[in-house]
């Protein structure tokens, strides 16, 4: 009896006496239910708007993942950015926010976030790669190349990421009219892509 269950859930989620942990569990279960039964999405939207602004990191993350699965990157990004505000040192969420910003072509935001994240996690190559992509798209190839060359040294046993670094380095050097270096990195990327 889905309708009665939804009604009960609304009562639980809006009740001032029920603990936030219990509300989070109920909401997370409903997010999973809606993922399997998308026809109830309007109920989910209504319920999330009923809940106070005091949303837990787990709930916000679940809602972000749900919207990502549904293909709504903008909404997912909004939820993940809320998580970053509450947990500014959560690497996985920072990475998701940064990559979503790149996907959505928010290059200034991705550049700022990746630069801040590099300060917190200086040995994470994905941050340098994202920073390089953002700076290349912001027409700052020198900054892109510098950060890409630092980050490439942190890549260990990840051929795909190494290939991406080389492609970005090739592009950055091409933008600086350093064709020789651009071609060198393009060849390295090609060799890795061919499995050599």
């Amino acid at each position: 009896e889905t309708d009665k269950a939804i009604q009960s859930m609304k009562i639980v989620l809006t009740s001032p006496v029920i603990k936030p942990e219990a509300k989070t569990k109920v909401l997370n279960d409903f997010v999973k239910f809606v993922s399997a039964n998308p026809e109830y999405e309007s109920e989910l939207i209504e319920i999330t708007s009923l809940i106070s602004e005091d949303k837990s990191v787990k709930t916000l993350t679940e809602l972000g993942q749900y919207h990502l699965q549904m293909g709504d990157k903008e909404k997912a990004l909004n939820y993940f950015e809320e998580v970053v505000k509450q947990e500014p040192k959560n690497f996985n969420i920072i990475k998701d926010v940064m990559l979503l910003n790149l996907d959505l072509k928010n290059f200034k935001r991705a550049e700022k976030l990746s630069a801040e994240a590099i300060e917190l996690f200086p040995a994470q190559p994905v941050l340098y790669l994202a920073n390089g992509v953002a700076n290349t798209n912001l027409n700052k190839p020198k900054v892109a190349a510098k950060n890409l060359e630092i980050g490439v040294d942190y890549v260990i046993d990840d051929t795909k990421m190494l290939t991406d670094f080389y492609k970005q380095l090739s592009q950055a050097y091409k933008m600086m009219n350093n064709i020789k270096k651009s071609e060198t990195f393009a060849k390295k990327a090609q060799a890795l892509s061919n499995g050599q």
Side-chain angles (χ1 to χ4, degrees):
E1 293 185 41
T2 309
D3 291 341
K4 285 186 179 176
I6 290 172
Q7 207 47 48
S8 298
M9 184 185 47
K10 285 180 184 176
I11 292 166
V12 168
L13 293 174
T14 55
S15 168
V17 253
I18 295 174
K19 290 184 178 170
E21 299 81 38
K23 288 181 180 183
T24 297
K25 170 121 182 52
V26 170
L27 185 60
N28 291 342
D29 289 345
F30 190 58
V31 167
K32 287 175 187 157
F33 170 78
V34 173
S35 292
N37 303 279
E39 66 271 20
Y40 291 99
E41 184 178 9
S42 61
E43 299 286 347
L44 177 64
I45 292 165
E46 181 189 340
I47 288 163
T48 52
S49 65
L50 288 174
I51 302 170
S52 73
E53 288 304 302
D54 182 31
K55 291 191 184 107
S56 76
V57 165
K58 188 171 176 4
T59 301
L60 291 166
T61 304
E62 293 263 345
L63 288 167
Q65 292 296 342
Y66 167 75
H67 286 291
L68 204 52
Q69 286 174 349
M70 301 312 282
D72 191 340
K73 292 178 181 178
E74 289 279 353
K75 270 191 184 169
L77 180 59
N78 289 337
Y79 284 111
F80 290 144
E81 284 182 334
E82 284 298 314
V83 175
V84 171
K85 284 179 191 167
Q86 290 184 39
E87 289 188 357
K89 293 183 180 177
N90 182 328
F91 175 74
N92 289 324
I93 295 295
I94 289 170
K95 185 176 79 173
D96 288 345
V97 168
M98 201 176 49
L99 296 175
L100 275 170
N101 273 301
L102 287 175
D103 265 3
L104 295 167
K105 301 193 182 328
N106 300 335
F107 299 119
K108 279 189 176 174
R109 178 79 181 113
E111 189 278 330
K112 182 179 186 297
L113 192 61
S114 59
E116 291 168 358
I118 286 169
E119 297 293 317
L120 293 172
F121 309 101
Q124 290 293 335
V126 70
L127 302 175
Y128 294 91
L129 183 58
N131 188 276
V133 171
N135 276 302
T136 301
N137 281 284
L138 292 169
N139 203 21
K140 297 181 192 172
K142 284 182 182 173
V143 178
K146 179 181 154 244
N147 285 318
L148 289 164
E149 287 189 355
I150 294 168
V152 76
D153 291 338
Y154 293 112
V155 179
I156 301 166
D157 296 331
D158 190 338
T159 307
K160 165 96 176 75
M161 186 179 286
L162 198 54
T163 304
D164 290 342
F165 265 95
Y166 290 154
K167 285 178 181 174
Q168 288 301 317
L169 278 161
S170 173
Q171 188 176 347
Y173 280 110
K174 188 176 185 177
M175 289 172 74
M176 290 186 280
N177 288 322
N178 188 335
I179 303 307
K180 188 175 180 184
K181 257 191 165 177
S182 175
E183 286 175 356
T184 301
F185 283 114
K187 285 176 186 167
K188 284 183 175 188
Q190 188 61 46
L192 284 175
S193 293
N194 294 338
Q196 296 175 343

